[in-house]
């Protein structure tokens, strides 16, 4: 069977399996010794050396199309067309030698008018299952007339040559918007595939006035959509999987004039130390056939999994169809949002558990994309360290952040959206001194924000960050709402708050020429 990639024709060296379903892909994965079935039915796989994204190994081809449309720099690095041509030739040669290849025809995006058709070619069956789970599946009639706009090829066994391919290491993620081709080699971490499609949509959709977002989203009983921005570890997946609300999706969405629509057909949740009490809906997916568990430790004899064991990776993951969540949206979309939640895990213990923001403050914090790493998570990190990832997803944003920030500001103004900043990090002191914000309190505050009762109460103005902080909320200890009062040493709190405020100011300097005066003045001040 011949494999067509654009105008290129490739003859695989072995079998070509096209659009296999879940059961046969699991069978292939087990037969190929790619993973083990757990006692409860999930497919458990290990990704080897790469247990997360290889951000420094991602490149965009720099040509006439991308020269002025991509935000070039440390995040978006360029590759010459000649290097990509050599890489493509070597990829095609490697594919021709494979004993089998797997192909899926899928959509990135669930709204028909704003989706992209993608052909995904993989050498591993479980990668084919993963991407079939994570993207949106065509109907039978759509498959019969499927015409791929972009192609993505994932070959973990491929080893890039920095001298020949113009890259950094043997691992490569190369995106060519002109040739509509994405090449992923030297890594088995499946998240690279879904994030590459996310980056593709982030590049394409703003040209049509669509706001692409790294966020989760859900809908209340009254049709009130909420979106949750946040970096990994801040609670996007956990907080959006709320039994009282309908889940649209947990990671990637677009905001059009008529809806918020999921880019995906599945969820990709962190599994490490997953709690059946705090996250029952997600925990239940670990016991379902069709779930893929990455880097989760499994006993090879009993096939019992251990979600608390981080010996393979702290970033253990589970991918599962969105309909494994009982209250998921049937059509993967909802009305335009009434509420925006920006999540941060503040390890400095400075930010309040919730604060209401003006549209200008929301754009400021969206462009800032703040969270904090904690001591021990990386070599050399001995105290909380501020992390700023613009738009809460810098590695996936090919265009300049102001493009996404201005789209957000316009849509907030058009829809009269209420914006909140929620700290899921620490209270009572920095990491190591204070404690993690109780999830029960976070959920209570979110519920009050979403039902409107929190907006009706009294507020104080935070002296450092200028946003409005509620002074009371039903079911929440009022003391937790004032971070300074939770510290044993108020002066130490003030010094830490000034330090964090200055880090915000220093980071935002790169955006001041791209925003108006209202947004420039919406950031923190250094209180005396």
């Amino acid at each position: 069977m011949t494999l067509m990639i654009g105008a290129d024709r490739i003859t695989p060296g072995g079998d070509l399996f096209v659009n296999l379903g879940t059961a046969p892909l699991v069978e292939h994965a087990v037969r190929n010794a790619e993973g083990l079935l757990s006692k409860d039915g999930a497919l458990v796989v290990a990704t080897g050396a790469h247990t997360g994204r290889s951000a420094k190994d991602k490149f965009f081809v720099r040509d006439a199309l991308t020269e002025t449309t991509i935000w070039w720099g440390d995040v978006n690095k360029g590759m010459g067309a000649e290097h990509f041509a050599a890489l493509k030739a070597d990829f095609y040669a490697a594919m021709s030698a494979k004993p089998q290849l797997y192909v899926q025809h899928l959509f990135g995006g669930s709204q028909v008018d704003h989706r992209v058709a993608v052909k995904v070619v993989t050498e591993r069956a479980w990668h084919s299952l993963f991407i079939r789970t994570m993207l949106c599946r065509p109907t039978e009639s759509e498959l019969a007339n499927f015409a791929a706009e972009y192609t993505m090829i994932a070959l973990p066994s491929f080893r890039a040559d920095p001298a020949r391919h113009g890259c950094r290491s043997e691992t490569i993620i190369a995106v060519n918007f002109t040739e509509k081709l994405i090449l992923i080699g030297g890594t088995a971490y499946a998240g690279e595939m879904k994030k590459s499609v996310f980056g593709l949509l982030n590049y394409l959709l703003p040209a049509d006035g669509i706001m692409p977002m790294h966020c989760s989203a859900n809908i209340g009983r009254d049709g009130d959509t909420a979106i949750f921005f946040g970096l990994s570890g801040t609670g996007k997946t956990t907080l959006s999987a709320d039994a009282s609300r309908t889940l649209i999706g947990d990671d990637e969405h677009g905001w059009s004039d008529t809806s918020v629509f999921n880019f995906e057909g599945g969820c990709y949740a962190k599994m490490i130390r997953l709690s059946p009490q705090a996250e029952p809906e997600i925990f239940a997916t670990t016991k379902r056939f069709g779930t893929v568990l990455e880097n989760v430790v499994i006993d090879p004899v009993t096939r019992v999994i251990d979600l608390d064991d981080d010996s393979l990776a702290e970033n253990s993951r589970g991918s599962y169809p969105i309909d494994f969540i009982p209250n998921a949206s049937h059509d993967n979309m909802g009305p335009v949002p009434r509420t925006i939640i920006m999540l941060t895990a503040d390890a400095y213990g400075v930010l309040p558990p919730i604060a209401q923001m003006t549209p200008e403050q929301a754009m400021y914090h969206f462009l800032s994309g703040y969270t904090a790493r904690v001591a021990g998570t990386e070599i050399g990190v001995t105290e909380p360290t501020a992390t700023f990832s613009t738009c809460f997803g810098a590695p996936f944003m090919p265009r300049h952040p102001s493009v996404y920030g201005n789209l957000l500001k316009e849509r907030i103004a058009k829809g009269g959206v209420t914006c909140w900043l929620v700290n899921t990090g620490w209270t009572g002191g920095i990491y190591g001194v204070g404690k993690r914000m109780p999830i029960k309190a976070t959920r209570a505050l979110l519920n009050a924000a979403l039902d409107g009762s929190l907006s009706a109460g009294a507020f104080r103005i935070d002296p450092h960050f200028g946003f409005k902080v509620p002074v009371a909320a039903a079911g929440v200890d009022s003391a937790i709402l004032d971070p300074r009062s939770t510290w044993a040493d108020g002066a130490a709190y003030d010094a830490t708050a000034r330090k964090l405020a200055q880090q915000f100011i220093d980071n935002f300097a790169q955006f001041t020429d791209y925003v108006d005066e209202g947004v420039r003045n919406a950031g923190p001040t250094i209180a005396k």
Side-chain angles (χ1 to χ4, degrees):
M1 185 182 295
T2 300
L3 176 62
M4 296 298 299
I5 299 177
D8 299 324
R9 185 185 300 271
I10 300 169
T11 303
D15 295 320
L16 190 64
F17 299 100
V18 181
N19 294 324
L20 292 185
T22 298
L25 285 171
V26 171
E27 289 175 350
H28 278 245
V30 173
R31 187 167 64 237
N32 298 344
E34 296 174 9
L36 297 174
L37 274 181
S38 78
K39 78 176 189 66
D40 295 311
L43 178 64
V44 183
V45 298
T47 62
H50 294 276
T51 59
R53 290 181 302 102
S54 301
K56 293 181 180 179
D57 294 305
K58 184 175 182 178
F59 298 86
F60 294 95
V61 174
R62 196 161 188 162
D63 57 20
L65 175 63
T66 60
E67 183 62 42
T68 59
T69 54
I70 283 185
W71 183 40
W72 301 108
D74 292 338
V75 173
N76 298 318
K77 298 183 291 295
M79 169 181 280
E82 68 285 355
H83 283 130
F84 185 85
L87 180 68
K88 181 174 78 168
D90 293 345
F91 254 73
Y92 285 2
M95 292 165 65
S96 297
K98 296 298 176 189
Q100 68 269 323
L101 291 171
Y102 299 87
V103 179
Q104 293 287 339
H105 296 136
L106 301 161
F107 292 116
S110 53
Q111 190 168 19
V112 174
D113 294 338
H114 306 298
R115 67 189 184 186
V116 61
V118 184
K119 177 184 292 184
V120 184
V121 184
T122 66
E123 65 174 307
R124 295 188 182 178
W126 83 262
H127 277 167
S128 194
L129 174 59
F130 171 89
I131 203 66
R132 182 178 183 271
T133 299
M134 294 311 303
L135 296 187
C136 300
R137 302 174 192 171
T139 63
E140 287 188 15
S141 61
E142 288 171 338
L143 272 179
N145 300 287
F146 192 88
E149 300 167 73
Y150 285 79
T151 299
M152 179 167 59
I153 305 169
L155 303 178
S157 64
F158 184 87
R159 295 295 178 264
D161 179 348
R164 175 171 165 77
H165 302 135
C167 53
R168 187 187 72 98
S169 72
E170 291 185 337
T171 300
I172 184 69
I173 302 97
V175 181
N176 190 321
F177 286 114
T178 299
E179 295 192 27
K180 299 185 176 182
L181 182 60
I182 302 169
L183 304 176
I184 302 172
T187 173
Y189 178 65
E192 295 287 11
M193 293 192 289
K194 84 180 212 93
K195 290 302 185 184
S196 292
V197 175
F198 186 24
L200 173 62
L201 288 163
N202 276 353
Y203 180 77
L204 297 173
L205 292 181
D208 296 327
I210 309 301
M211 173 68 186
M213 304 174 291
H214 182 212
C215 70
S216 57
N218 62 25
I219 316 168
R221 293 187 177 92
D222 296 330
D224 56 306
T225 298
I227 56 179
F228 300 74
F229 290 106
L231 299 172
S232 178
T234 57
K236 289 196 319 300
T237 299
T238 297
L239 294 173
S240 60
D242 184 332
S244 68
R245 297 175 65 85
T246 299
L247 179 69
I248 301 174
D250 81 328
D251 199 30
E252 302 160 359
H253 296 79
W255 182 351
S256 70
D257 290 337
T258 59
S259 71
V260 167
F261 61 96
N262 196 352
F263 286 174
E264 304 178 288
C267 300
Y268 195 41
K270 293 189 82 167
M271 289 288 142
I272 194 68
R273 293 177 287 277
L274 191 69
S275 165
Q277 290 76 37
E279 298 136 324
E281 294 87 1
I282 300 172
F283 184 85
T285 69
T286 67
K287 301 180 180 297
R288 295 284 299 270
F289 179 80
T291 292
V292 179
L293 298 176
E294 287 180 64
N295 301 315
V296 168
V297 173
I298 182 172
D299 186 305
V301 177
T302 66
R303 304 296 178 89
V304 173
I305 62 172
D306 185 351
L307 298 177
D308 294 326
D309 189 334
D310 63 358
S311 58
L312 290 179
E314 178 72 20
N315 187 39
S316 58
R317 292 274 178 170
S319 57
Y320 47 89
I322 194 169
D323 60 16
F324 280 14
I325 300 297
N327 55 329
S329 166
H330 294 297
D331 55 7
N332 258 11
M333 63 180 72
V336 295
R338 296 184 198 171
T339 307
I340 288 175
I341 308 294
M342 296 187 186
L343 301 168
T344 181
D346 176 28
Y348 289 95
V350 165
L351 297 178
I354 196 166
Q356 191 175 69
M357 299 182 289
T358 66
E360 291 77 15
Q361 288 170 334
M363 183 172 176
Y364 185 99
H365 283 274
F366 178 72
L367 290 175
S368 297
Y370 165 71
T371 193
R373 294 192 298 268
V374 297
T377 58
E378 294 183 19
I379 295 173
V381 178
T382 57
E383 63 180 22
T385 305
T387 297
F388 295 96
S389 184
T390 186
C391 308
F392 294 100
F396 328 121
M397 303 294 176
R399 296 182 184 270
H400 192 277
S402 62
V403 172
Y404 309 105
N406 284 319
L407 276 170
L408 181 67
K409 185 181 177 185
E410 291 166 9
R411 293 204 170 276
I412 288 174
K414 185 176 181 179
V417 181
T418 303
C419 303
W420 299 88
L421 183 73
V422 172
N423 174 23
T424 61
W426 274 257
T427 181
I430 66 170
Y431 170 83
V433 176
K435 60 182 180 180
R436 193 74 188 256
M437 198 72 68
I439 191 169
K440 183 178 180 180
T442 299
R443 286 200 181 277
L445 290 167
L446 274 176
N447 290 339
L450 293 172
D451 68 20
S453 61
L454 200 58
S455 294
F459 290 84
R460 66 177 178 85
I461 302 298
D462 185 276
H464 300 281
F465 288 85
F467 36 50
K468 294 165 57 178
V469 181
V471 298
V476 178
D477 181 357
S478 295
I480 205 172
L481 295 170
D482 181 3
R484 190 178 191 275
S485 71
T486 66
W487 282 51
D489 184 344
Y493 170 86
D494 293 336
T496 306
R498 287 193 294 268
K499 175 183 176 181
L500 180 58
Q502 188 63 57
Q503 289 175 314
F504 266 89
I505 293 167
D506 293 344
N507 173 74
F508 201 80
Q510 62 185 307
F511 303 124
T512 54
D513 292 339
Y514 299 94
V515 298
D516 60 32
E517 184 178 5
V519 176
R520 287 196 295 272
N521 293 335
T525 56
I526 307 301
K528 303 299 183 183

